Amino acid sequence: MAHHLPALNPPRTLNTNLHSISKPIFSFSQTASRKISKLKKYPSITSSTMSSQQQNPLPHIALTNNEHKEEVMNAIKSSISNCLSETHLDLTVSALRSKIRGKVRDIYDGGDYLVMVTTDRQSAFDRILASIPFKGQVLNETSLWWFNKTQHITPNAVVSVPDRNVTIARKCSVFPVEFVVRGYVTGSTDTSLWTVYNKGVRNYCGNSLPDGLVKNQKLQENILTPTTKAADHDVPVTPDEIVQLGLMTQADYDEVSRKATSLFEFGQRVALDHGLILVDTKYEFGKGVDGKIYLIDEVHTPDSSRYWIAHSYQERFQSGLEPENIDKEFLRLWFKNHCNPYEDEVLPDAPEELVSELAWRYIFLFETITNSRFEMPGTKEPVHDRISRNVSQALSSLQ
């Protein structure tokens, strides 16, 4: 049973009298102009003596320890109790119909379009673990950057981005398969490559794996390990099974697998140019009414991907240390060490220190990949009001 968190930022002064504008597209090129007041200095978390065998998996690095990080961390801490955990646009935007609540996104039916609101909910182990300040904005803006950069590989479903947390997309018939691409043997979940490999599995999702691999080792070549959904968890599946079960035609599978492999290789090159290793990721695809295959959902975000710091990887790997990471793995490990996240009905609250560090890492990744500063949202207008207004204006302009 998934653990549903209460709404930390419920809608206030909901505005149903909204007007339209001609150009709803939100510009992500602006730089932050609001100066955040400085509070006490956030203590660095380091790992100079931490081995991969320690039981308290605190984050390994502070990533950077400077004035910018202090400013961002102050904003993060002041927003922990005001995260966007739920939206109710079906009550505030007349053009919207039904709502589907995903792990992270609230998806609304907008007639010819889907309105996807990326919340601050944090998921792992197929359930909600916490809410992370600014996460929804980071994911949405990171995806938009990658969607724009990968159009030469595959078209995507994005139609409009009217708000920091919102993407309006064309409707697609979604393939019931997630295309997971991996470059390293790592992970802690039941379906991660290291978990299954460590249990003795040597043929995974149609990939033959050699003996003698160790955790966090680079594979000789990237591999595709698709999964499909069953109840509330991911199920590994082979390419042959995908076709045999009627989940995709052979032609569609061949096209999507090529796109997924090319996207990952491109993502690895871009990440490395920015001092990062793209370790693994997952993609989702759908087919539009025009018969074309589109990349949907998100791409190369810290939710869908695992990133490591490149310059320290080799030394840490040879020393038996965990790589310096900027993903949610340390939060996964904390929950695994403090509960059974697959079976416990109620989960413990994530420590504020870890929540703040994860929020910083999401922002750090966005800034590192895009080479731009993350713009903190204003606080004068309630976020639910802002999203309602922007979505209403965007839908009016699309009619």
Side-chain angles (χ1 to χ4, degrees):
M1 180 182 297
H3 175 55
H4 296 298
L5 297 172
L8 298 181
N9 188 23
R12 293 171 290 172
T13 60
L14 300 181
N15 182 4
T16 56
N17 243 341
L18 301 171
H19 303 284
S20 63
I21 58 175
S22 58
K23 292 184 179 181
I25 303 301
F26 177 78
S27 173
F28 296 117
S29 62
Q30 303 169 1
T31 56
S33 59
R34 183 172 61 88
K35 184 71 174 177
I36 304 169
S37 61
K38 294 181 180 179
L39 304 176
K40 66 179 181 179
K41 186 177 179 65
Y42 177 72
S44 300
I45 301 174
T46 62
S47 63
S48 58
T49 60
M50 182 179 294
S51 74
S52 61
Q53 302 302 316
Q54 286 183 281
Q55 294 302 307
N56 185 22
L58 285 173
H60 298 301
I61 51 173
L63 297 177
T64 61
N65 189 14
N66 53 30
E67 184 177 347
H68 175 57
K69 180 181 179 180
E70 181 180 349
E71 183 179 46
V72 172
M73 288 296 285
N74 289 337
I76 289 169
K77 289 186 174 185
S78 67
S79 300
I80 282 180
S81 62
N82 196 36
C83 292
L84 182 66
S85 297
E86 293 287 345
T87 65
H88 304 279
L89 300 190
D90 49 331
L91 303 179
T92 61
V93 181
S94 59
L96 297 181
R97 303 170 186 174
S98 59
K99 168 188 173 181
I100 296 176
R101 185 184 189 273
K103 294 173 187 172
V104 175
R105 289 169 181 79
D106 290 341
I107 303 173
Y108 296 89
D109 186 346
D112 294 333
Y113 308 100
L114 292 179
V115 176
M116 299 183 291
V117 184
T118 310
T119 72
D120 297 330
R121 296 192 295 263
Q122 181 66 51
S123 72
F125 308 106
D126 290 304
R127 63 193 303 179
I128 305 302
L129 301 182
S131 289
I132 310 298
F134 311 129
K135 176 193 167 179
Q137 178 181 338
V138 171
L139 293 188
N140 202 51
E141 295 184 5
T142 301
S143 276
L144 179 66
W145 190 88
W146 281 108
F147 277 134
N148 287 335
K149 295 293 184 181
T150 56
Q151 292 184 76
H152 65 290
I153 298 174
T154 179
N156 58 69
V158 177
V159 173
S160 172
V161 185
D163 185 272
R164 307 168 192 268
N165 289 72
V166 181
T167 293
I168 298 178
R170 69 176 72 237
K171 284 185 173 179
C172 294
S173 177
V174 181
F175 295 119
V177 177
E178 289 187 346
F179 284 77
V180 183
V181 191
R182 307 177 188 272
Y184 293 75
V185 187
T186 192
S188 61
T189 64
D190 284 353
T191 57
S192 72
L193 187 55
W194 170 246
T195 299
V196 297
Y197 184 87
N198 197 37
K199 291 179 178 178
V201 174
R202 293 296 179 268
N203 193 299
Y204 191 53
C205 300
N207 299 285
S208 180
L209 303 170
D211 290 329
L213 297 178
V214 298
K215 189 180 182 186
N216 302 324
Q217 183 173 347
K218 190 179 189 305
L219 295 166
Q220 284 194 333
E221 58 182 20
N222 298 329
I223 62 173
L224 183 62
T225 60
T227 63
T228 185
K229 293 290 183 181
D232 292 326
H233 59 281
D234 298 337
V235 178
V237 63
T238 67
D240 289 342
E241 289 170 337
I242 290 173
V243 176
Q244 291 168 4
L245 292 171
L247 303 177
M248 300 178 70
T249 66
Q250 186 67 58
D252 285 345
Y253 175 81
D254 290 344
E255 179 177 348
V256 171
S257 61
R258 286 195 299 269
K259 290 178 182 291
T261 301
S262 297
L263 284 167
F264 188 65
E265 291 173 350
F266 177 77
Q268 285 181 311
R269 292 195 299 271
V270 172
L272 197 57
D273 286 343
H274 293 79
L276 303 173
I277 296 173
L278 178 59
V279 180
D280 50 40
T281 195
K282 63 180 179 181
Y283 306 107
E284 292 191 52
F285 294 85
K287 184 172 286 189
V289 294
D290 56 3
K292 292 182 180 179
I293 291 176
Y294 293 92
L295 178 64
I296 63 172
D297 195 44
E298 61 183 327
V299 56
H300 298 164
T301 71
D303 253 21
S304 65
S305 311
R306 196 187 319 266
Y307 287 92
W308 294 337
I309 303 297
H311 73 84
S312 62
Y313 163 73
Q314 193 62 37
E315 181 180 352
R316 294 185 68 87
F317 173 71
Q318 291 175 349
S319 300
L321 299 175
E322 287 294 308
E324 294 182 295
N325 63 73
I326 44 176
D327 52 50
K328 60 184 178 182
E329 181 69 7
F330 69 85
L331 191 64
R332 285 196 191 105
L333 293 175
W334 185 89
F335 275 94
K336 287 197 73 173
N337 285 337
H338 289 81
C339 64
N340 185 334
Y342 289 105
E343 298 181 6
D344 291 353
E345 183 172 345
V346 178
L347 300 181
D349 291 334
E352 183 176 313
E353 183 182 30
L354 297 191
V355 169
S356 298
E357 178 68 17
L358 184 55
W360 158 248
R361 287 172 183 233
Y362 276 37
I363 293 172
F364 175 88
L365 177 63
F366 168 81
E367 294 186 336
T368 301
I369 289 292
T370 67
N371 195 31
S372 64
R373 283 293 177 95
F374 178 75
E375 183 180 359
M376 296 294 174
T379 58
K380 290 184 178 180
E381 182 181 20
V383 63
H384 198 282
D385 288 3
R386 184 200 78 203
I387 291 174
S388 297
R389 172 174 51 80
N390 287 335
V391 168
S392 181
Q393 292 169 347
L395 291 176
S396 295
S397 72
L398 290 172
Q399 291 178 353

